[in-house]
Amino acid sequence: MSEETTGCTHDIQSQHRELLDYYAGIELQHIYLEVYAERYHSLRQYFEAYYCYRHGLVTRQNKPDWAQILPHAMPSTAARATGNLKLCVSELKLPLEVMVGKLKTLVRDDELSVAAIQHLLEQELAYVRITREEWKRLKDKGLLKAMPADYYRPDAQCYQDADSRFQRAAISFS
């Protein structure tokens, strides 16, 4: 491949990344408006769209492709062993309710901004792939929509540890 062709390919990739970053910025603005208006019920779709744009999980028309989240997500040891995506589900590393709580904290502390939301999402928004049996263990332990109490205790070993709910349900990642 000639240097000219390589440069052209790089330019196209760069332009595509800029376009996805632009769309991710729009999703951040949506999230800001929804949080500011205290409409938390629709945040999941904006989180997913933002995640898709940030990770290039888009259709040919540059729309978010939620179906790509599952194969892209970090697999648990058991999910990797199954080798079958149909036996797995994607799960937010931090439950949606916890993410919303962090956004509400930004509002309470008068620190809500698009930049603050972006920082939060870059730090906390991640998906994992777990088996349906592991998902049921999370549900049975009440950890689908919540973190263990120690997650909130500054003196606890698992304080602010996003993996703590998976550890409680004996779900490991390697």
Side-chain angles (χ1 to χ4, degrees), residues 44 48 51 66 69-76 79 88-99 124-132 134-136 138-139 142-147 162-163 165-166 171 173:
R44 178 180 294 277
E48 288 175 349
Y51 185 86
W66 294 280
I69 291 175
L70 183 61
H72 181 266
M74 181 176 63
S76 69
C88 299
V89 297
S90 62
E91 181 69 27
L92 280 167
K93 194 162 189 177
L94 279 180
L96 178 65
E97 292 75 7
V98 174
M99 294 290 289
E124 306 287 358
L125 184 63
Y127 286 87
V128 295
R129 183 171 69 232
I130 59 176
T131 65
R132 294 182 189 279
E134 290 172 324
W135 182 88
K136 185 173 181 334
L138 282 176
K139 182 180 177 189
L143 297 173
L144 272 184
K145 297 181 178 184
M147 294 299 287
D163 289 327
R165 75 180 179 132
F166 298 109
I171 300 170
F173 298 88

Side-chain angles (χ1 to χ4, degrees), residues 2 15 30 40 49 55 60 70 74 76 83 96-97 109 113 117-118 136 139:
S2 71
Q15 289 172 349
H30 283 147
Y40 304 106
H55 295 280
R60 289 184 190 171
L70 183 61
M74 181 176 63
S76 69
L96 178 65
E97 292 75 7
D109 296 345
S113 68
I117 293 169
Q118 182 176 15
K136 185 173 181 334
K139 182 180 177 189

Side-chain angles (χ1 to χ4, degrees), residues 21-159:
D21 287 345
Y22 172 77
Y23 289 146
I26 290 173
E27 297 305 327
L28 283 172
Q29 291 175 23
H30 283 147
I31 293 166
Y32 174 83
L33 292 171
E34 294 298 310
V35 172
Y36 189 78
E38 298 181 8
R39 291 190 304 246
Y40 304 106
H41 63 277
S42 59
L43 286 178
R44 178 180 294 277
Q45 76 185 47
Y46 296 119
F47 286 170
E48 288 175 349
Y50 176 79
Y51 185 86
C52 287
Y53 287 128
R54 289 297 297 147
H55 295 280
L57 309 176
V58 296
T59 65
R60 289 184 190 171
Q61 295 78 30
N62 287 323
K63 303 292 181 201
D65 189 355
W66 294 280
Q68 290 187 49
I69 291 175
L70 183 61
H72 181 266
M74 181 176 63
S76 69
T77 305
R80 181 178 286 121
T82 67
N84 186 347
L85 290 179
K86 292 181 181 180
L87 302 175
C88 299
V89 297
S90 62
E91 181 69 27
L92 280 167
K93 194 162 189 177
L94 279 180
L96 178 65
E97 292 75 7
V98 174
M99 294 290 289
V100 169
K102 289 180 177 272
L103 289 169
K104 288 179 178 181
T105 300
L106 290 174
V107 171
R108 181 198 67 203
D109 296 345
D110 199 27
E111 295 176 358
L112 185 68
S113 68
V114 172
I117 293 169
Q118 182 176 15
H119 179 74
L120 173 68
L121 296 182
E122 291 298 320
Q123 297 297 312
E124 306 287 358
L125 184 63
Y127 286 87
V128 295
R129 183 171 69 232
I130 59 176
T131 65
R132 294 182 189 279
E133 292 82 19
E134 290 172 324
W135 182 88
K136 185 173 181 334
R137 286 202 310 260
L138 282 176
K139 182 180 177 189
D140 292 345
K141 293 188 174 290
L143 297 173
L144 272 184
K145 297 181 178 184
M147 294 299 287
D150 285 348
Y151 175 83
Y152 300 101
R153 292 191 186 119
D155 60 335
Q157 185 176 358
C158 64
Y159 176 66

